[in-house]
Amino acid sequence: MDFTTLDIIIFTGYCLLIIGMGLFVSREKKGHEKNAQDYFLASKALPWWAVGASLIASNISAEQFIGMSGSGYALGLAISTYEWMAAATLLVVGVFFLPIYLKEGIYTMPQFLHRRYDSRVRLVMAVFWLMIYVFVNLTSVLYLGALSLETIMGVPLPYGIGGLALFAMIYSIYGGLKAVAWTDVVQVVFLVAGGLATTYLALSLVGEGSAWDGITLLKAEAPKHFSMIVQKGELMIPDGAGGFRDAYMDLPGLSVLIGSMWIINLTYWGCNQYITQRALAAKSLNEAQKGMVFAGFLKLLMPLIVVVPGIAAYVIVEKGIDISFIDSMKDGAGGLIKSDRAYPTLLQLLPTGLKGLAFAALTAAIVSSLASMANSTSTIFTIDIYRAYINKGISEVKQVQVGRITTLVAFIIAALVAPQLQNLDQAFQYIQEYTGFVSPGVFAIFIFGFFWKKTTSDAALAAAVLTIPLSAVFKFLTPNLPFIDRMGVVFLILAVMMIVISLIQGKGKDSEKAITIDASLFKTSYGFKWGAAFIVLALIILYAVFW
């Protein structure tokens, strides 16, 4: 991509704005040293709009811009289920999960597990989450971000990985969640504005100058890419090695609507530290819930920004509209078209000025997620491992220091592992599948911990220990079972096992650590109810149109 002076000014201005804002909001009043609540929960002072913006900025990253656009290229609009189901999930989490977390006054998800179960469950799950955040989430975002830099600007992959990690570290290590959350507000503006600009250009290219005509042509040229429910054998997609595989393996029919997709979403949005940490930092439960609704609105918009450009890229390649575009979609080694190159290639076609804005949007998405994941990694390690097992008497100031060191180490490890993902065709599916090894156990532990008082600590520990081995066994023994369905099977097995263990061990009695819940805990404001009603109606219309 040839950056003009204007593009460079826009992009450089964005970088300086984010770094400057991050450092500015991280300042403390004279005489006050940053404590654990300041660093890990942003002093519990976030308003609803900051909560919602930070949720989306933390979630939307290269995983979506690059990975989901790549899946849009290969699979089509069906991949939007992850985004639209998330909008509904945010409402469920806002009503049923957040009130319990805020009532307990926790910093981390493992901390909640300690209060509901015991230290064994806390430790096992803390280790699992650290492994997922560092070796799957941080690693994949660094790789996909660096891939975009390589495709767009010719920056070698190792330098791109190092540069993105350094950018995120500059302000996140010093400022903690406060710096991450407040810069996220600005990042979301760049993310949405730049993303919409790229979508408009992609549609205009397909429609020969008219974005509206482009939409019509997309549906005419790629009708299978506009089916929300993929049937077995309906769509064959690239396997990354020159062959093809059934798209049903990634999105198995109705399972994405009424099946195990709920496990993925509820685990991610309701039991995931680097997501829930934003809500835990809200001023109040009401502010946290309104933030969830705001994030839900933005989720409805996301497929237009991250999926439609991938479908447009598919039509451009299939119709041979632009030869240079097709060449840019190919990897350097085998000359194969890689789905994950769709979005970076589109950015090369933007006009002067919009290039800088769109690239700033992509970088905003990458950096905000990196900062969020690293901050949550440091929070879990500091609170649930270092303070709980290594130095129980650690001071508030020392906790901040340990958190900063942990963030640095996490980035170094992820940067070393990231280049190993180069052989993937759809990194988004890689992230979903391997996060899904842990998700069934996590969801079972939390859902039973919330709503079944008889659940025992040993039952939760068994689910925590067996979730990865069971997932691995089913992956090996049932290679033709879609990973989303596999998660559902593993969850059901773990659920039955937890019920049996709890009934035998507890002899039908409630656990001493059971959470006491009354109906008043789940009351919501009228604003939340009206917002939720709008989101549900919008989802019904969307699925009715694209069924």
Side-chain angles (χ1 to χ4, degrees):
M1 178 185 287
D2 296 324
F3 266 44
T4 65
T5 302
L6 179 59
D7 293 316
I8 294 173
I9 290 173
I10 291 174
F11 181 71
T12 303
Y14 151 74
C15 294
L16 294 176
L17 174 63
I18 295 303
I19 293 173
M21 185 176 179
L23 296 176
F24 178 79
V25 300
S26 302
R27 299 173 307 149
E28 297 295 335
K29 293 180 181 178
K30 189 174 182 181
H32 175 71
E33 284 195 88
K34 199 181 294 291
N35 58 35
Q37 183 170 283
D38 295 329
Y39 192 77
F40 298 119
L41 290 183
S43 306
K44 290 187 72 68
L46 296 183
W48 65 267
W49 46 272
V51 171
S54 189
L55 281 169
I56 295 302
S58 301
N59 165 244
I60 301 298
S61 177
E63 177 184 343
Q64 273 74 21
F65 268 102
I66 309 299
M68 193 169 276
S69 286
S71 292
Y73 178 95
L75 290 162
L77 196 63
I79 199 67
S80 300
T81 290
Y82 280 98
E83 300 301 295
W84 288 339
M85 289 289 285
T89 305
L90 283 162
L91 303 180
V92 176
V93 172
V95 174
F96 297 107
F97 289 33
L98 284 187
I100 297 173
Y101 292 148
L102 293 175
K103 174 177 173 285
E104 294 295 317
I106 58 171
Y107 279 49
T108 70
M109 297 295 97
Q111 193 177 19
F112 168 79
L113 295 178
H114 181 249
R115 294 190 183 183
R116 175 57 182 88
Y117 297 115
D118 60 24
S119 59
R120 300 171 302 164
V121 180
R122 176 189 197 172
L123 179 60
V124 169
M125 294 312 301
V127 171
F128 280 175
W129 269 310
L130 289 176
M131 291 174 62
I132 290 292
Y133 289 162
V134 175
F135 291 101
V136 178
N137 295 122
L138 269 176
T139 301
S140 59
V141 172
L142 275 175
Y143 163 69
L144 288 171
L147 176 65
S148 69
L149 290 177
E150 183 179 55
T151 305
I152 296 166
M153 302 181 69
V155 178
L157 197 71
Y159 292 106
I161 291 170
L164 289 170
L166 181 62
F167 187 2
M169 284 191 289
I170 288 175
Y171 68 91
S172 63
I173 288 180
Y174 174 70
L177 184 61
K178 184 182 291 185
V180 173
W182 286 108
T183 53
D184 280 350
V185 175
V186 178
Q187 309 249 45
V188 162
V189 175
F190 277 90
L191 186 156
V192 172
L196 288 175
T198 306
T199 300
Y200 177 82
L201 180 97
L203 292 173
S204 296
L205 182 62
V206 173
E208 297 180 352
S210 171
W212 184 256
D213 289 344
I215 295 175
T216 305
L217 282 170
L218 285 190
K219 296 181 72 174
E221 296 293 335
K224 290 185 179 180
H225 277 59
F226 283 87
S227 173
M228 287 299 298
I229 306 300
V230 177
Q231 303 300 328
K232 195 168 186 178
E234 178 184 356
L235 181 64
M236 303 303 291
I237 60 175
D239 63 2
F244 293 88
R245 59 189 178 85
D246 195 344
Y248 183 83
M249 295 299 293
D250 290 337
L251 296 170
L254 286 176
S255 289
V256 302
L257 193 59
I258 58 176
S260 303
M261 182 68 80
W262 282 101
I263 296 175
I264 296 173
N265 274 293
L266 285 168
T267 304
Y268 180 86
W269 293 102
C271 314
N272 181 358
Q273 179 66 30
Y274 89 85
I275 292 299
T276 56
Q277 193 168 342
R278 277 103 196 99
L280 297 178
K283 291 179 179 180
S284 64
L285 174 58
N286 185 41
E287 293 291 302
Q289 289 176 327
K290 287 192 292 185
M292 288 290 189
V293 171
F294 180 42
F297 283 130
L298 293 176
K299 271 295 176 186
L300 294 177
L301 181 66
M302 281 304 129
L304 181 61
I305 294 175
V306 298
V307 178
V308 172
I311 301 175
Y314 172 81
V315 172
I316 292 170
V317 170
E318 289 299 301
K319 291 191 67 178
I321 293 175
D322 190 314
I323 300 301
S324 62
F325 185 97
I326 297 173
D327 289 339
S328 184
M329 286 283 295
K330 297 177 181 178
D331 65 2
L336 298 173
I337 289 179
K338 291 288 186 178
S339 300
D340 283 342
R341 289 182 176 268
Y343 199 86
T345 301
L346 282 171
L347 293 190
Q348 298 182 54
L349 306 177
L350 289 170
T352 298
L354 283 182
K355 287 181 183 177
L357 176 62
F359 195 54
L362 177 59
T363 308
I366 295 166
V367 172
S368 60
S369 289
L370 288 173
S372 299
M373 293 169 186
N375 180 259
S376 294
T377 300
S378 72
T379 304
I380 288 179
F381 179 82
T382 304
I383 302 297
D384 297 299
I385 294 181
Y386 194 90
R387 191 177 77 177
Y389 298 99
I390 299 174
N391 185 357
K392 294 184 178 181
I394 185 174
S395 67
E396 293 276 323
V397 174
K398 184 68 174 178
Q399 287 179 57
V400 174
Q401 294 174 355
V402 172
R404 288 169 173 162
I405 293 172
T406 304
T407 301
L408 177 62
V409 172
F411 270 119
I412 292 174
I413 294 173
L416 292 174
V417 175
Q420 309 308 313
L421 304 185
Q422 292 183 69
N423 293 326
L424 298 176
D425 180 68
Q426 292 184 67
F428 182 79
Q429 298 299 338
Y430 159 81
I431 296 166
Q432 303 309 318
E433 178 166 7
Y434 286 97
T435 301
F437 272 48
V438 177
S439 296
V442 172
F443 185 60
I445 291 168
F446 274 84
I447 206 72
F448 279 94
F450 288 153
F451 303 115
W452 197 45
K453 293 184 178 182
K454 293 179 174 56
T455 311
T456 64
S457 298
D458 286 346
L461 181 64
V465 170
L466 291 176
T467 182
I468 292 180
L470 268 178
S471 297
V473 167
F474 271 92
K475 179 176 173 61
F476 177 75
L477 294 179
T478 57
N480 294 321
L481 182 68
F483 75 88
I484 291 178
D485 289 344
R486 183 175 72 233
M487 289 173 59
V489 172
V490 173
F491 168 75
L492 290 175
I493 292 173
L494 293 176
V496 170
M497 180 195 68
M498 289 182 69
I499 292 172
V500 172
I501 292 175
S502 296
L503 290 176
I504 293 174
Q505 186 180 40
K507 300 178 180 179
K509 297 180 180 180
D510 291 348
S511 169
E512 292 181 357
K513 287 194 169 185
I515 295 172
T516 301
I517 297 175
D518 59 77
S520 63
L521 191 64
F522 302 127
K523 288 184 178 179
T524 57
S525 66
Y526 282 108
F528 179 89
K529 290 174 181 175
W530 280 106
F534 176 86
I535 289 173
V536 171
L537 179 61
L539 288 172
I540 291 173
I541 293 172
L542 286 169
Y543 274 93
V545 171
F546 294 110
W547 184 270

